[in-house]
Structures are given as C-alpha cells and as structure tokens.
Amino acid sequence: MSNVALGSASVTVGAACAIAGIIVALLGILGYRPRWFADAKLLVGLMTLASVASVVIMERALITRDFTVQFVADNGSSQTPALFNIATLWAALEGSVLLWVLVLCGYVVAVVVKFRNDGDDPMMQWVMLTLFVVCAFFFLLMVGPSAPFTSFDPPAGYDGPGPNPLLQNHILMAFHPPILYLGYVGFTVPFAFAIAALVTGRVGEGWLVATRRWTVLAWGYLTFGIVLGAWWSYETLGWGGYWAWDPVENASFLPWLTGTAFIHSVMVQERRGMLRVWNLSLVVSTFALTILGTFITRSGVLQSVHAFVESQIGPWFLTFFALIVIVSLGLIAWRGDELRAPGRIDSPISREGAFLANNVVFAGFAFVVLLGTIFPLIVEAIDGRTISVGNPYFDQMTMPIGFTLLFLMAVAPILPWRKASGDVLSDRLIWPAWLGVGSMVFAAVVGARGWAPMLAFGLGGFAGGAALRQVVLATRRQGWRGLVGRTNGGMIVHLGVVLIAVAFAASNAYVRQGEFTLEPGDSAVISGHTLTYEGSRIVEYPNRVERKADIRVDGGQVYAPAISTYPFAGQTIGTPSVRSTLQDDIALSVLSFPEDADDAVVLRATVQPLILWLWIGGIVMAVGTALAVVPGRRRNPIAPTSALIPEPDSVEAPS
Amino acid sequence: MTRRLASWLAVASLGLSMLVFATVDEGPPLSNADRAYSLAQDFACPVCQGQSVAESDVVVARNIRREIRVWVDEGRSDAFIRDQLVDTFGEDVDYTPSAEGVTALVWILPVVGGAVAVTGLGLVFRRWQRDADLEATDEDQVLVEQAMADRG
C-alpha cells in the first residue's frame, strides 16, 4: 500500500479514536458506562498507535524519498543529509502537526499510566474528556485543513527542493522543535486537570499537587527549547543576534511567562490555600497562549521568519482558542464562590508577598509582549495603517521589568513565609548584597560602562548570591539531597537565569560589529581582535556548494564562514562561523564575494562578550529543572507550617 | 551606629558610586559602525518576513545598511535617518511605533496597567493588614498545642 493511503488511514483512525474517546468519557460521566476507563485506555492505546504509525509512515516516505506524498515532494529532496531528512518532518506545517500530535499522545499515555487506578474518580473522567477533546482537535486538523498525506503525481525524474536551507544548516534544528513541543504540549496536562477541578468542584489544592511535576517538566522543556532556538538563530542567521522579538519567538515566550508565574504562585496556594482563581487563570492562559501563538504564527496573519506558507488552519485555531477561553472563564465564574481564598497574606515582606509581586510582574511582562506582538493587527483593524513593533519597543518596555525580576529573585528566596523582621532580612541579605556590589566593582575594573549593564551586573550578583546562599545552606544541612526537590532545584534554575541575564546585558550593551571588504592577505581589527583573510575555496557537499572564506583569528585558528548554494531549493544563504570563548564570541559571516574584484570578500564580524554564558545558563536551567523534579525531602505532613488548609468539602485528587 | 547598619551603608554607597561612575565615564565612544549596527536593528527589512535590516541578508537590507552607514558617516541624526527610510519604504519599516495617535496606545497601556497593578496590590495588602488584627481564640491555642504535641 502506498504511504499516502496508509498515512491517511492512520490519521483517520486516530481521529476516530479521539472522538470515540470523547463519547466514552461522556458516557462515563453520565453514569451509563461504569467501565468507561477500560475503554478509554484502549482508545488511548489505539490513538497513540495511529499517531506513531503516521509519524513512522511520514518518516519512511521522507527517507525513501517517496515523492507521491505531497509533503515529501514539497519539502524532501534526494540530496538532504540523513539527519536533516528526519528533521524535515518538522520543517513545514503538516509535519509539525504530526509531531505535535505524537507528543500529545505521549503525554496522554503518561497520564493514563500514572493515574491507572483512578478510573472511578469523577475527576479522571473530566481529565480524560478534556484530553480527548484536545486530541480530537489536532487529529481533525490533520483530516481537514492540514492533511499531511495528500498525494502528488511526480513527473519522471522529479526531485524535491528539500527543506528551507536555513533549516538544514545546523544540528540544533534536529532538537529545538521537538523539545519546544514537549514544552508546549506538556501544558495540556495541567490544563486538563484544571478544567476537571473546576467542573467537579474540587478546586482545593489536590489538582495542583497531582500535576505539579508535570507542570515543572513542561516548563523545563519549554525553557530549554527556547534557549536552543536562540542558540540556533545565533549560529545560523549570522547577524550576531539571538533574540529578535520575532512574533514566533514571542509566541513561545508568552506561555513561558505565564507558566513561570504559575510555578511560583502555585506554592502560595499549596502553602496558604490562596490565589486559586489566579492559578487556574494562569494554567488556562498558558495553554490558551500556546494555541493563540500557533494561530498567530501559522495562519499567516503575522509575518515571521518562522512562518510556514499561508495555510487554512487560522480559523480552526481561532475557534479552538475562543472555545478554551469561553469554557474556562465560564467555569471559573460559575465556581466563583468556592474559589474564594480562605487565607490572607499577613505582610508584603514575606515569601508569599514576594510571590504575589513576582506574579504581577510576570503578568505585566506577558501583557507587554502580547500587546507588542498583536498591536500591528489592532492598528490595521482600526485605521488600516500597517505599522511594525520591534526591537526598540520591546527593549525599552521589558528592561525595567527585567530589573524588577532580578531584584525579586534576590530578595524572595531568603524571605520567610508569613512575616519577616528587618533583622532577619538584613542578616540574610547582606552577603548576597556584597556579592552584587562586588560584581559591579569587578565589572567596572574590566571595563564595563553604562548604567544599565552595570545595574544588571549588580542585581545579577545580588540574585546569584541569594540563590547560592540557599544552595549552600541546603547542602550543608542535607548533603546531596540539598540539591534536589523543588525548592533546591529552583535555586539552581535561578542561577541559570542570572547567568543568562548577565550575558544578555553584556552582549547587548557591548556588541561591536563591522563590515569589511578584504583581499587575500588583508587584515581587519575589531574590538582588539585581528581577522586575516587568507583566501576562499569551494567545497562541494551532496546538498550544497559552499564557497568558504578562510579567516585567521588573532593569528591562531582559521574559521571559515561561507556562502552556501542549495541548487535544489534554488537558494543561497550564508553559513556563519563562530569562535566562542568564555570571554567573548566572534561571529563571522560572508556577505558576498564581489564579482568585480579578484577573490575579495565582504565580511561581517560581530564581537560580543559572554555569549557562551547564555547557553551555559540554559543548560544550568535545564539541570535545575531536572533536579527540581526529583522528589526532595518530605516535609513532616503534620508540621503546622506545611499542612494544607483543610476544606470540609474537598476530596484529594487522585495521586 | 551598629555594625549591621554600617555594612549596609557601605554596600549602598559602593553600589551607588559604581552606578554613577558607569554612567558618567562613558568609556570608548561608539564608532560609526556600531551606531549603524544599532540603527539597523531598529528597522524592519521591507521585503523580509519579520527580520530586521541588521538580520537580513537580502540585497535590499544590505543596501539599507550601506545607506545607514553613509548617513551615520555624514553625521546625520537618528530622526533624519528614520524619516528617510519611512519616506522611501513606508511607515511599517520603523520598528518603533510612533507616540502619536492610535499607536501611542502601545506605549500608554502597559504604563497604565502597571500603575493599576501596583495600586491594586497596595490596596489588597492594606486591606489584609487591617483585617489581620485577629487574636487567636482559645480553640486555636488548643489546636496549635495539639499539633505541637503530635509532632514532638
């Protein structure tokens, strides 16, 4: 059987399973089918098999270059190297929906396995119903407007163009999208539990406890996916930047912001039973923003370097987004009374007070990013003008927010719950404060100037000191266990954030760029580095031809940025070469080889300090998240400080 | 003066003087190339999808970069360069939304939102603090003692 037929069949089977799942869950809810969970498990299994099959079939089609599949004809090529051939799956819309669904099915299976004994729990019925609805939406997307398996009649000798050259130019492309999707899709699980909690009225802390690891894990993947994306963009696009406030970058950043707010404020609810409406809203917003982001970036309403060709999925996503928002808001309003917080915050100078401030700042951050991203659409709708909102706006608006967050990161971890006295604060903060000032002095000595980066270094040192203090205290008290668990892992994540913030401030403030036209033997000097052009050479690869310019950096190693021509795609792109050290980076890219001159090159060099620390910070954040997921020291369950506020009518969620 | 206070005063004054120093001492001046690079990031490449003039490799972007460089070398102001580019390519190449008319909202809304949030937070804390003057009842005392006893 052909790949098109097999693939379409598997997608259809998957859609049917998801819809059947909705019906089974509804029958369970209505009490018509007590053994609904067994059916649901079976359907999840079948649905997942169908999803795995569809991905395997598409990969087979890509690997065997089966150009009778339209997707392969459009995006595959006999010349694409093996690794990128596999990654071609997520190089265009239809394939990325396939991947999305695969990840989604994986999460649904994990939920079914983890809560396998909770079939009698009404909460699970609603969780499964929600999950099946989300699955059905995406499967139907593949049956309808984003069908991956449409047929194509290739003329004799046909060969495809291959994926966009930019997407087959760097190894990170193989990892950035799948990891990002693990993050995006992972938020479906807490969303399903939030909806179930609202419907069943068990709006206490049970659903939070049940899903908190899932949330942290999804958040970790999203974080790492975003950092990998920035890294990819830095290594491939060759303009020396890594974050451009591109609408798709913003679309991934928005759920990250609300997700980050949530994993902080959730602790206030667990400890004090407060902020219930807020936490539910954050979970819903995070999920809704992943859908809205997909709409914004995949429907062609906004332009972006990531946007695939315009497609018909826009109205689908918009409808789904509206459905999520309306249902969730309706449920929250309906449960309004039961969601009223039984507690109160005694003092703003307390851990919960800091978390509240943190949440307001993160919500503001998300608002600014969302506003800036969709503002061009709003203006166009109002008076037909086309405008752009970019770098200068986002930089100006987010800088004060960044400073506030760094400050909170320094103060919050050392604040006790409920109330803090001035003496306690002073004793705990003085060493972090010295570290902050110390980093400022150090920065000034090595030549840092400008108030903004200086403030960032100071606050970075302050926040880093506070996180380090907690880690040191915890490991002293508990040995290696002082590194695991949510609080301790969280402090490692904070250290990663500090590294990124400092690297971000330094690289933005002290970037130097120059464009040079060099003849062989010529040298250029930029930021104290000497770049010597030694001539160019042509290297042929199966999928491309590169003309490389050999540049000797500081009389040492030779780096070879190139201009790459992909004959099948009919595109020419630059392939940068980057010299990285812990101190600074030199990103080299060839702008052109002028035809009128003999082997001359137009070279762009960007020198930025501390770039490598961005990626190190990202890795530290990922490690911290992994440590946070490992169960930490159990608190004494009857310790008065950690007991949940009892609620007569709340039943614990399945665990 | 206690040692604690002295320590904090030292931290604060040293930190502040570092900030002042970093603001006043400008370091090496920006070269024309640096100013051109910074400007190129503030404008959208007119034919690309969501890329700035600095990012893009297409011919138009390269030409604009060259033009910006020429203007910078001639000592033109940022405003002049902006007007030139907007006249040639349209308002949507300018990444900085203007602070006039409808577009001013993009600047105003976050500020208003921030002010509302801070005020709201302040009010909530004040209300909480006013309500917080509750004395523990005897029942509460018994509960606490029981819990402590169970724990020990």
Side-chain angles (χ1 to χ4, degrees):
Chain A
M1 282 236 297
S2 76
N3 285 323
V4 170
L6 279 173
S8 307
S10 59
V11 167
T12 315
V13 168
C17 288
I19 292 168
I22 296 176
I23 296 169
V24 163
L26 279 174
L27 288 178
I29 288 163
L30 296 172
Y32 292 129
R33 187 143 179 91
R35 286 178 36 76
W36 72 278
F37 199 46
D39 301 344
K41 284 182 195 166
L42 186 70
L43 286 168
V44 167
L46 274 177
M47 181 175 79
T48 308
L49 270 181
S51 164
V52 172
S54 62
V55 168
V56 168
I57 292 164
M58 184 58 90
E59 287 293 1
R60 189 179 86 163
L62 282 167
I63 290 164
T64 59
R65 275 90 181 182
D66 176 3
F67 295 122
T68 61
V69 180
Q70 179 83 48
F71 184 81
V72 182
D74 290 345
N75 303 291
S77 147
S78 62
Q79 303 304 320
T80 313
L83 175 73
F84 292 109
N85 205 8
I86 292 170
T88 300
L89 180 69
W90 47 87
L93 175 71
E94 293 82 3
S96 35
V97 178
L98 275 175
L99 177 67
W100 186 291
V101 170
L102 180 71
V103 175
L104 182 57
C105 285
Y107 274 110
V108 177
V109 168
V111 168
V112 169
V113 170
K114 172 97 189 329
F115 300 104
R116 58 188 170 281
N117 299 323
D118 298 304
D120 299 333
D121 191 325
M123 182 119 173
M124 271 318 279
Q125 296 171 335
W126 290 96
V127 168
M128 290 310 295
L129 179 67
T130 314
L131 290 175
F132 276 128
V133 168
V134 178
C135 289
F137 169 75
F138 280 100
F139 268 112
L140 287 176
L141 210 58
M142 292 199 291
V143 173
S146 169
F149 295 100
T150 48
S151 59
F152 177 71
D153 189 13
Y158 179 86
D159 199 352
N164 182 336
L166 283 174
L167 304 182
Q168 47 172 318
N169 207 14
H170 199 281
I171 178 85
L172 283 170
M173 209 54 225
F175 301 102
H176 155 58
I179 291 182
L180 198 63
Y181 283 15
L182 278 167
Y184 273 147
V185 181
F187 283 112
T188 314
V189 178
F191 170 73
F193 273 84
I195 293 290
L198 280 168
V199 175
T200 54
R202 278 152 49 179
V203 291
E205 283 57 60
W207 71 275
L208 283 180
V209 175
T211 56
R212 74 180 186 201
R213 283 221 178 86
W214 301 76
T215 319
V216 172
L217 207 63
W219 180 88
Y221 281 125
L222 188 58
T223 308
F224 200 50
I226 292 173
V227 174
L228 285 181
W231 199 350
W232 169 82
S233 131
Y234 176 71
E235 297 277 342
T236 338
L237 298 182
W239 62 287
Y242 42 86
W243 188 264
W245 299 106
D246 168 293
V248 178
E249 290 168 354
N250 293 351
S252 67
F253 196 41
L254 280 168
W256 186 87
L257 288 170
T258 51
T260 311
F262 175 71
I263 55 179
H264 287 95
S265 65
V266 84
M267 289 184 263
V268 179
Q269 187 176 347
E270 281 178 23
R271 262 308 182 77
R272 306 290 311 274
M274 306 175 58
L275 306 184
R276 289 176 173 178
V277 176
W278 179 246
N279 284 327
L280 285 164
S281 312
L282 283 177
V283 170
V284 171
S285 323
T286 305
F287 180 68
L289 282 171
T290 63
I291 301 296
L292 183 71
T294 319
F295 163 71
I296 290 177
T297 52
R298 295 287 172 260
S299 62
V301 294
L302 277 183
Q303 294 189 335
S304 153
V305 67
H306 293 75
F308 302 140
V309 280
E310 283 193 27
S311 69
Q312 300 308 309
I313 63 167
W316 285 63
F317 272 95
L318 205 56
T319 313
F320 191 47
F321 173 74
L323 182 78
I324 295 165
V325 172
I326 292 168
V327 168
S328 314
L329 284 185
L331 283 172
I332 291 177
W334 177 51
R335 289 288 179 196
D337 279 351
E338 287 158 66
L339 286 168
R340 261 222 295 266
R344 82 162 73 79
I345 291 180
D346 306 291
S347 157
I349 316 292
S350 63
R351 183 77 66 85
E352 51 271 53
F355 278 141
L356 203 58
N358 145 310
N359 266 251
V360 171
V361 179
F362 269 109
F365 205 152
F367 176 71
V368 167
V369 175
L370 182 64
L371 184 69
T373 309
I374 62 171
F375 198 68
L377 292 177
I378 301 174
V379 171
E380 201 175 344
I382 294 177
D383 63 1
R385 271 157 67 202
T386 52
I387 65 149
S388 299
V389 178
N391 260 320
Y393 172 79
F394 289 108
D395 284 351
Q396 268 181 55
M397 296 307 265
T398 58
M399 193 165 64
I401 299 178
F403 286 138
T404 316
L405 285 176
L406 275 179
F407 176 76
L408 282 173
M409 262 174 67
V411 178
I414 60 98
L415 281 173
W417 291 88
R418 305 214 85 129
K419 232 173 223 176
S421 75
D423 288 356
V424 169
L425 271 188
S426 164
D427 285 346
R428 293 184 179 177
L429 277 178
I430 189 70
W431 286 114
W434 273 113
L435 201 66
V437 171
S439 14
M440 289 168 98
V441 173
F442 177 76
V445 169
V446 297
R449 297 295 182 268
W451 69 269
M454 189 54 94
L455 186 58
F457 300 148
L459 288 173
F462 193 21
L468 267 181
R469 177 185 179 277
Q470 300 304 94
V471 172
V472 167
L473 285 182
T475 43
R476 222 190 261 163
R477 219 167 33 227
Q478 309 164 35
W480 66 271
R481 280 207 161 270
L483 290 174
V484 300
R486 192 169 46 173
T487 316
N488 303 323
M491 286 304 113
I492 311 265
V493 174
H494 276 197
L495 287 174
V497 177
V498 167
L499 290 180
I500 289 179
V502 167
F504 188 82
S507 61
N508 262 329
Y510 307 120
V511 55
R512 293 288 175 268
Q513 188 176 79
E515 290 183 15
F516 311 98
T517 304
L518 302 173
E519 307 256 337
D522 285 357
S523 289
V525 177
I526 178 168
S527 268
H529 295 287
T530 310
L531 312 171
T532 311
Y533 175 49
E534 304 199 326
S536 76
R537 60 200 155 90
I538 289 174
V539 184
E540 290 192 24
Y541 296 89
N543 61 337
R544 65 189 188 275
V545 179
E546 290 196 346
R547 183 164 173 199
K548 291 174 187 277
D550 286 326
I551 312 287
R552 194 173 290 283
V553 174
D554 295 332
Q557 209 178 324
V558 172
Y559 291 81
I563 294 253
S564 314
T565 307
Y566 289 73
F568 285 89
Q571 249 180 304
T572 299
I573 60 168
T575 303
S577 177
V578 182
R579 191 225 57 169
S580 294
T581 64
L582 291 178
Q583 216 178 335
D584 64 359
D585 266 31
I586 307 172
L588 301 167
S589 59
V590 176
L591 293 178
S592 63
F593 290 102
E595 280 169 16
D596 47 355
D598 190 30
D599 203 23
V601 65
V602 182
L603 182 76
R604 176 160 58 178
T606 315
V607 181
Q608 289 176 95
L610 304 188
I611 286 279
L612 205 55
W613 291 96
L614 287 168
W615 326 133
I616 296 175
I619 292 167
V620 171
M621 284 179 82
V623 170
T625 312
L627 291 172
V629 177
V630 177
R633 183 176 62 98
R634 287 258 171 264
R635 283 183 188 281
N636 180 352
I638 58 158
T641 47
S642 58
L644 301 173
I645 289 175
E647 270 181 299
D649 56 352
S650 97
V651 190
E652 279 303 297
S655 55
Chain B
M1 198 162 65
T2 64
R3 257 186 64 195
R4 188 183 277 148
L5 189 62
S7 193
W8 275 107
L9 277 178
V11 164
S13 46
L14 192 53
L16 211 61
S17 46
M18 281 297 120
L19 270 184
V20 172
F21 166 71
T23 316
V24 175
D25 184 302
E26 283 171 348
L30 275 187
S31 69
N32 285 353
D34 295 326
R35 207 187 131 208
Y37 175 57
S38 154
L39 273 166
Q41 292 183 51
D42 293 354
F43 293 95
C45 155
V47 297
C48 318
Q49 303 231 311
Q51 282 190 305
S52 72
V53 169
E55 280 169 82
S56 178
D57 251 355
V58 301
V59 180
V60 187
R62 232 180 275 170
N63 289 341
I64 297 178
R65 281 206 296 270
R66 197 169 308 135
E67 271 183 278
I68 291 180
R69 184 62 204 266
V70 171
W71 285 322
V72 166
D73 286 343
E74 289 170 359
R76 305 283 190 178
S77 70
D78 289 4
F80 172 86
I81 294 172
R82 180 203 171 268
D83 291 344
Q84 292 294 317
L85 290 175
V86 167
D87 283 348
T88 318
F89 299 102
E91 193 187 357
D92 57 338
V93 295
D94 186 1
Y95 267 149
T96 317
S98 91
E100 284 159 24
V102 191
T103 50
L105 279 179
V106 80
W107 297 102
I108 297 167
L109 282 178
V111 176
V112 173
V116 168
V118 170
T119 322
L121 213 56
L123 286 178
V124 168
F125 274 122
R126 257 191 50 190
R127 206 182 61 203
W128 273 329
Q129 243 156 4
R130 221 181 25 232
D131 297 348
D133 307 327
L134 291 170
E135 288 295 318
T137 62
D138 291 345
E139 260 174 79
D140 294 337
Q141 293 286 0
V142 173
L143 264 177
V144 170
E145 273 158 30
Q146 229 166 25
M148 296 301 265
D150 286 351
R151 199 186 184 191

